[in-house]
Amino acid sequence: MTSGAAVPKLQVDEVWKHYGDFVALEKTSLTLREGEFLTLLGPSGSGKTTLLMMVAGLTLPDGGTISIDGKLATHAPPFKRDIGMVFQNYALFPHLSVADNIAFPLRMRRERDAVVREKVARVLDLVQLPHVADRMPRQLSGGQQQRIALARCLVYSPSIILMDEPLGALDKKLRDQLQIEIKRLHRQLGTTILYVTHDQQETLTMSDRVCLMNHGKIEQIGTPGDLYFRPNTVFAADFLGESNILPARLTGHAAGNAVLECPTAGGLVLVTGGAGCLGAVRIMVRPENLTLVTQAEPGWNAIACVVKEVIFTGSTTRTIVETRGGAALLVAGLTVESELSAAPGRSLVAQWRPEHTVLLPEEA
Amino acid sequence: MRDATAPHRRFRPAMWMLLPAVGFLLGLMLYPVSQLLLLSLQTKAGAWTGANYERLAAGAVYWRVLGITLRCAAWTTALSVVFSYPVAYLIATSTDRVRARLTFWVMLPFWTSFLVRTFAWIVLLGRNGVFNQWLQAIGLTGAPLPMLYSFPAVMVGMLHALMPLCVITMISVMESIDGNLSKAALTLGAPRGSTFWRIYFPLSLPGVAAGGLLVFISSLGFFITPALLGSPREIMLPQIIIQQVQELLNWPFAGALSVLLIVAVLVVFTGYDRVFGISSLAGTTAAGAGRPAGRVTRFGRMLLAGLGRASDLLGQALAGLQPRFRGAPPRGTRRMLWVAGLCALVFLALPAFLMIPVSFTTRSVLDWPPRGFGVSWYQAYLGSGAWLAATGRSFEVALLTAVLAMALGTPAAFGLSRGVRRGNGLILGLLLSPLIVPRIIIAVALFYLYAKLRLVGTTLGLVLGHTILAIPYVVVTMMAVLKTYDQRYDNAAWSLGANRLRALWHVTLPLLRAGLIAAFLFAFVTSFDELTIALFVTGGLETTLPKMMWDSAVLQVDPTLAAVSTLLLLLITCILLLAGWIGRRDRAVRG
């Protein structure tokens, strides 16, 4: 790239879409840098697919602008956008062979036959399926078909590759394998990828940045770490990873810590660096940050609780406890065989560090 | 269940389910039809001879009639395919709501009696018909043009009769084309023209072929339309067969002519099977999707690529001409499709409605515009013992036919969709053969059989004959429904303690109710509208409504027919709305 470094690959500016009364997407803006892997994450109906389809040109926005490579593309037809798209059900053309499928975008670009042949062979090597060129799509397994779909996008090096839940139709093991492979291709080729999924594990594994969406708008954008450790909203905290969320009141500050009153926890809670308006808030603690002890360490937050259930899942053990205030908490830790016998009914203390408390605004 | 007997237990029920329908068709269709074909090798006295074929080969008139028949069928097929494609494409690519509404307007003429529709064309094309009145009113012509009783009139009538079949067949294939494929092509850089010609069109070809085949084969057996709308120059093979049987009583020669007709059908059918495979008739998409491309396919692809390129350039040129409003994309293609589709729908649906105003005329001829307003023709219908008796008889026969066809066809559909065995294809072929063997041949063969069994003129004979025709519709409808039925419901019922019969009664049948009702209505309407078999098998006064309409139309088309047509149209509309309502309610209940 010469001067293009400063120009974002994709610039979405205040686009929105309504279907009658239904708000598919509120005014949304988003920027995608060259070589970035950005995931649109959210439950179904959150607007992530609408946004992707607008970038692809398969849905037109009611307002706002979309620029690809610095060129205005809001109303450009899909075939003039220089994008690639991978569909959940692969969308390989059933009447064309694998090689013809991959050659399709090249032929549309009027490449010479020799070039087409060479590029097809090269990309088939890249996805490690050089031997299936002459087969028909139906003769391939699901995983192979998705790799061919990927190859069909990679072969013409589009500006951006859009992926709409590409691994949704595959089983767990294959999904894990292909996640790593897509990630490898992304790194190796430096492609810019806009990825849609509702699978949080997939998101955390693959993304450079995550755009969490809910009810037709962006809830939070950031690195996977940002979203996991510093969620901005209850929805973000709840959607990504497991969380214990308790209602609380911010009552004051002491020694750099915010002090909260948390009736369901049965006492006061400290939050490192917590700043905010006094009043109703929520606090969130990740299950892996909670430990169960008989005697709390000084300076830690502690809640007295009773063990309800112990669930052994292999390398980790999950314990459900109930606080005196009646709230259920999930505690997760590495399995220690001797602790498996923590019998239901035992009274313990759940403790965590103040810096592991995340302060969240009360939901509107 | 003991393990050792398991395979037998699984095999037998399927066998028993198939046996009644298979036996019925073997005995009442295959046997008499082969008898008829064997007759062609005999003299009237019963001695073996090749004289009938010598006469056939020598008679230039028969070859000419065969030529006319094939020409009519070919033209009907070509025009049907060309006009049906945009309609089917429009419907298949519309949203669910729009699709349901448009489908209703295609189905309405499909279900409306052939006779009613043909009468409508007489009113439209006649000397004092709608078109001639218009043409004279706007001054394009001084004197009425002779439109009726000509080749174009026959074409219009046949096209009108068979296009719905073509549209429905195409839709079933187009609906199974994944919408993402076109989207994928667009994102891969293919303009809309290339996307259509290189991706969508090749995938819809099996539907085009299946629709074309059904139209071609159906039109080979047509005689109503050419007889009512055509001149002697448009006489078709079935009409000659009728003449041989009814006027000349020359059974052997009728047999020889039937052989000629069947050979024509078989040639077409074999050709189709070679290229597309029979299985694509059942609506599975993309035949040949598992095969690499042959030379023909490659040539076809180059052709389609060229077409795609041409329409892309056209699209570009048009986009350049069109003023752009705030960068909005051209919606012109879709609009043109709507115009074409609506024109075709008006062509399909409107003629039948023409009978409504005509039926209230106070004059005694069917002409346009209707004069005055009176219900005298309804009084004529309601006051006539013969018309009412025919109507009652039609209802009786149709009900009995529907019950019998359901009793035979439903178990057969179960048997075919549950047990996967060798020979299923053959059995399915037999069960569907009444759709493929021209009706006229079945009718003549039945007449011959019934004459020996003294069944001519009986209700039983007519019901048996109509059941032959209704079985394929029941089987096809029920198999389509069973394809989406999850057999684990049955397994669940069994595991909960229901025996087979109770599971069938309490679980399977209620879940399949919408399909069962649709199949029943299909069978009912097939019989209610049937003329060919009725023409031969009903004798004397014991006539059905279509036969009565035909008889009176052959003498003179008077407004009583319009009144009867209006009532029939009303009945069909009610049945269609009822079926649609039941289907929607069932879906709503299940979510």
Side-chain angles (χ1 to χ4, degrees):
Chain A
M1 274 288 124
T2 49
S3 64
V7 179
K9 273 277 155 185
L10 172 70
Q11 175 91 50
V12 175
D13 220 8
E14 301 206 314
V15 297
W16 55 278
K17 179 87 187 172
H18 291 189
Y19 291 103
D21 286 340
F22 177 69
V23 181
L25 193 69
E26 287 183 24
K27 281 190 177 172
T28 299
S29 301
L30 188 72
T31 307
L32 201 57
R33 288 189 305 270
E34 167 136 38
E36 191 175 26
F37 192 121
L38 186 123
T39 299
L40 300 176
L41 175 71
S44 54
S46 61
K48 55 186 195 305
T49 301
T50 306
L51 183 54
L52 190 83
M53 289 297 166
M54 285 177 184
V55 175
L58 295 168
T59 302
L60 291 177
D62 290 339
T65 59
I66 295 169
S67 310
I68 295 169
D69 266 335
K71 283 197 298 268
L72 195 64
T74 318
H75 295 288
F79 49 89
K80 287 191 179 157
R81 293 191 177 211
D82 193 30
I83 44 150
M85 184 149 175
V86 180
F87 293 80
Q88 178 173 2
N89 65 354
Y90 325 128
L92 293 177
F93 306 129
H95 60 304
L96 301 181
S97 71
V98 165
D100 284 336
N101 260 283
I102 297 175
F104 186 85
L106 300 174
R107 297 215 169 106
M108 286 300 119
R109 284 164 178 74
R110 327 206 128 257
E111 300 257 22
R112 279 183 302 116
D113 273 354
V115 178
V116 170
R117 264 196 301 278
E118 193 231 308
K119 283 191 173 176
V120 168
R122 193 153 16 111
V123 81
L124 276 170
D125 278 337
L126 196 65
V127 295
Q128 296 163 5
L129 287 171
H131 54 287
V132 302
D134 294 327
R135 298 214 200 139
M136 299 307 275
R138 253 178 221 185
Q139 297 165 312
L140 304 182
S141 70
Q144 287 174 327
Q145 288 190 42
Q146 196 55 294
R147 275 193 226 170
I148 296 304
L150 200 61
R152 192 173 64 175
C153 270
L154 295 173
V155 74
Y156 62 103
S157 319
S159 276
I160 311 170
I161 294 185
L162 311 172
M163 300 196 181
D164 187 12
E165 310 217 10
L167 309 180
L170 303 174
D171 64 43
K172 174 97 178 74
K173 208 167 166 187
L174 231 99
R175 218 158 51 213
D176 292 346
Q177 203 180 322
L178 269 166
Q179 279 173 16
I180 295 166
E181 194 161 327
I182 291 174
K183 196 66 202 167
R184 172 180 70 82
L185 290 167
H186 170 238
R187 260 198 309 269
Q188 194 176 331
L189 304 173
T191 339
T192 313
I193 295 179
L194 185 60
Y195 193 96
V196 162
T197 184
H198 61 261
D199 182 329
Q200 44 150 315
Q201 186 255 321
E202 204 166 288
T203 307
L204 297 176
T205 310
M206 305 176 77
S207 321
D208 295 329
R209 271 201 307 156
V210 181
C211 172
L212 181 65
M213 302 195 65
N214 191 28
H215 292 311
K217 61 175 197 288
I218 294 178
E219 194 87 10
Q220 187 173 354
I221 301 190
T223 64
D226 284 340
L227 263 82
Y228 190 79
F229 294 111
R230 287 171 292 282
N232 287 340
T233 60
V234 172
F235 175 80
D238 198 36
F239 196 83
L240 217 69
E242 287 179 313
S243 54
N244 294 299
I245 297 173
L246 299 170
R249 289 186 67 77
L250 186 59
T251 54
H253 297 269
N257 288 339
V259 180
L260 296 110
E261 200 175 289
C262 186
T264 42
L268 294 178
V269 170
L270 298 178
V271 180
T272 305
C277 304
L278 301 187
V281 292
R282 294 204 174 220
I283 56 168
M284 189 278 277
V285 189
R286 295 285 180 200
E288 67 271 21
N289 291 331
L290 284 172
T291 44
L292 291 172
V293 290
T294 45
Q295 187 77 54
E297 287 167 55
W300 288 47
N301 288 313
I303 302 179
C305 59
V306 178
V307 175
K308 284 297 190 192
E309 210 169 326
V310 180
I311 306 154
F312 171 49
T313 65
S315 60
T316 60
T317 298
R318 301 146 64 80
T319 312
I320 297 169
V321 299
E322 197 180 279
T323 68
R324 245 183 254 149
L329 295 179
L330 178 64
V331 181
L334 293 177
T335 300
V336 180
E337 197 179 358
S338 60
E339 283 173 12
L340 277 179
S341 55
R346 237 177 112 191
S347 287
L348 289 169
V349 174
Q351 63 162 14
W352 73 96
R353 292 177 187 277
E355 64 261 34
H356 285 151
T357 322
V358 178
L359 203 59
L360 300 169
E362 180 70 32
E363 289 283 85
Chain B
M1 212 185 288
R2 277 162 300 153
D3 263 21
T5 63
H8 289 279
R9 277 175 159 262
R10 227 169 274 154
F11 180 67
R12 284 227 177 98
M15 223 26 230
W16 280 113
M17 286 171 165
L18 290 170
L19 219 52
V22 168
F24 185 87
L25 289 181
L26 283 179
L28 282 168
M29 199 192 78
L30 212 60
Y31 169 71
V33 167
S34 39
Q35 283 289 306
L36 177 67
L37 301 185
L38 275 182
L39 270 182
S40 68
L41 292 170
Q42 294 171 10
T43 60
K44 277 191 180 178
W48 294 106
T49 173
N52 294 309
Y53 289 99
E54 282 163 28
R55 187 181 152 199
L56 195 61
V61 60
Y62 305 114
W63 293 106
R64 221 190 59 221
V65 169
L66 180 67
I68 294 171
T69 311
L70 290 175
R71 193 164 63 105
C72 268
W75 272 105
T76 310
T77 308
L79 293 173
S80 286
V81 166
V82 170
F83 291 133
S84 300
Y85 197 93
V87 187
Y89 181 72
L90 177 69
I91 293 178
T93 53
S94 288
T95 55
D96 284 353
R97 270 171 68 95
V98 178
R99 188 186 306 172
R101 285 199 194 146
L102 293 180
T103 310
F104 176 85
W105 291 108
V106 176
M107 286 310 272
L108 189 65
F110 184 65
W111 291 109
T112 317
S113 158
F114 274 166
L115 280 167
V116 172
R117 292 190 271 162
T118 310
F119 296 157
W121 285 110
I122 294 177
V123 175
L124 279 164
L125 300 174
R127 258 187 83 78
N128 292 311
V130 178
F131 289 140
N132 266 323
Q133 304 264 347
W134 280 352
L135 290 177
Q136 286 174 59
I138 57 173
L140 269 181
T141 165
L145 295 174
M147 288 190 262
L148 206 54
Y149 312 122
S150 66
F151 183 72
V154 174
M155 250 332 77
V156 166
M158 287 180 68
L159 196 58
H160 188 244
L162 293 170
M163 238 181 85
L165 184 67
C166 196
V167 173
I168 303 281
T169 314
M170 285 183 182
I171 289 178
S172 73
V173 171
M174 287 181 181
E175 275 183 337
S176 64
I177 297 175
D178 179 4
N180 274 348
L181 294 176
S182 294
K183 289 182 186 170
L186 288 171
T187 63
L188 290 169
R192 288 174 219 282
S194 287
T195 298
F196 177 79
W197 289 109
R198 284 182 181 239
I199 305 300
Y200 195 91
F201 186 72
L203 290 173
S204 68
L205 267 183
V208 173
L213 177 75
L214 288 178
V215 168
F216 193 90
I217 286 177
S218 304
S219 36
L220 284 181
F222 250 55
F223 67 91
I224 299 172
T225 314
L228 291 178
L229 300 181
S231 69
R233 269 175 305 151
E234 278 79 49
I235 196 161
M236 298 203 8
L237 206 48
Q239 287 162 280
I240 305 255
I241 297 177
I242 295 175
Q243 192 189 30
Q244 288 296 329
V245 171
Q246 289 197 326
E247 290 166 27
L248 308 173
L249 297 177
N250 190 345
W251 284 97
F253 194 61
L257 288 167
S258 300
V259 168
L260 195 60
L261 192 54
I262 282 192
V263 166
V265 169
L266 283 181
V267 166
V268 173
F269 212 75
T270 319
Y272 177 89
D273 190 33
R274 277 286 164 81
V275 181
F276 294 101
I278 291 302
S279 62
S280 67
L281 270 184
T284 41
T285 181
R291 292 181 297 205
R295 197 175 302 161
V296 179
T297 321
R298 255 176 230 167
F299 173 74
R301 267 196 208 145
M302 273 163 60
L303 197 70
L304 291 175
L307 273 172
R309 179 78 188 134
S311 45
D312 289 344
L313 291 172
L314 187 69
Q316 259 175 32
L318 287 177
L321 287 176
Q322 203 174 16
R324 288 230 167 176
F325 298 103
R326 296 181 52 217
R331 301 275 304 154
T333 329
R334 189 80 191 164
R335 210 170 294 145
M336 264 155 59
L337 190 64
W338 267 100
V339 171
L342 287 181
C343 282
L345 283 180
V346 166
F347 167 73
L348 286 180
L350 214 58
F353 288 97
L354 200 69
M355 301 313 273
I356 299 173
V358 172
S359 68
F360 291 105
T361 186
T362 49
R363 296 189 13 142
S364 59
V365 282
L366 256 190
D367 64 359
W368 189 263
R371 313 286 156 86
F373 181 87
V375 291
S376 55
W377 299 109
Y378 289 91
Q379 283 165 347
Y381 165 72
L382 291 170
S384 150
W387 276 109
L388 288 184
T391 312
R393 197 169 143 88
S394 270
F395 266 106
E396 181 193 352
V397 169
L399 269 177
L400 290 172
T401 299
V403 170
L404 184 58
M406 288 297 283
L408 294 169
T410 313
F414 267 91
L416 278 175
S417 59
R418 300 218 158 168
V420 180
R421 282 190 318 279
R422 272 187 312 149
N424 263 6
L426 200 67
I427 292 175
L428 184 64
L430 175 69
L431 293 179
L432 299 188
S433 60
L435 289 180
I436 295 153
V437 178
R439 252 183 216 196
I440 182 74
I441 292 179
I442 301 178
V444 172
L446 272 184
F447 185 37
Y448 186 72
L449 178 76
Y450 283 3
K452 283 191 281 189
L453 299 175
R454 296 179 183 282
L455 276 173
V456 177
T458 63
T459 305
L460 175 67
L462 197 54
V463 168
L464 292 179
H466 283 181
T467 304
I468 295 173
L469 301 180
I471 282 177
Y473 290 110
V474 172
V475 170
V476 166
T477 312
M478 288 315 295
M479 280 183 71
V481 175
L482 285 171
K483 212 192 274 179
T484 61
Y485 176 76
D486 188 343
Q487 281 193 38
R488 281 172 297 188
Y489 292 129
D490 294 345
N491 299 346
W494 297 340
S495 77
L496 293 169
N499 61 28
R500 272 167 198 278
L501 203 62
R502 290 173 67 107
L504 187 72
W505 186 250
H506 289 290
V507 177
T508 318
L509 292 183
L511 282 171
L512 295 178
R513 205 180 51 158
L516 288 166
I517 291 172
F520 185 89
L521 291 177
F522 232 136
F524 182 90
V525 175
T526 303
S527 161
F528 198 79
D529 189 28
E530 208 287 327
L531 176 60
T532 317
I533 288 180
L535 209 55
F536 285 88
V537 167
T538 52
L541 293 173
E542 295 278 295
T543 173
T544 64
L545 194 55
K547 171 92 182 322
M548 183 98 178
M549 290 166 82
W550 166 261
D551 286 345
S552 93
V554 169
L555 285 178
Q556 205 226 326
V557 180
D558 76 16
T560 315
L561 287 172
V564 177
S565 299
T566 305
L567 293 174
L568 277 179
L569 194 64
L570 205 65
L571 178 77
I572 292 299
T573 309
C574 289
I575 289 178
L576 267 184
L577 290 177
L578 183 75
W581 180 73
I582 290 171
R584 270 198 305 281
R585 207 191 49 173
D586 269 29
R587 274 196 297 279
V589 167
R590 257 178 265 157

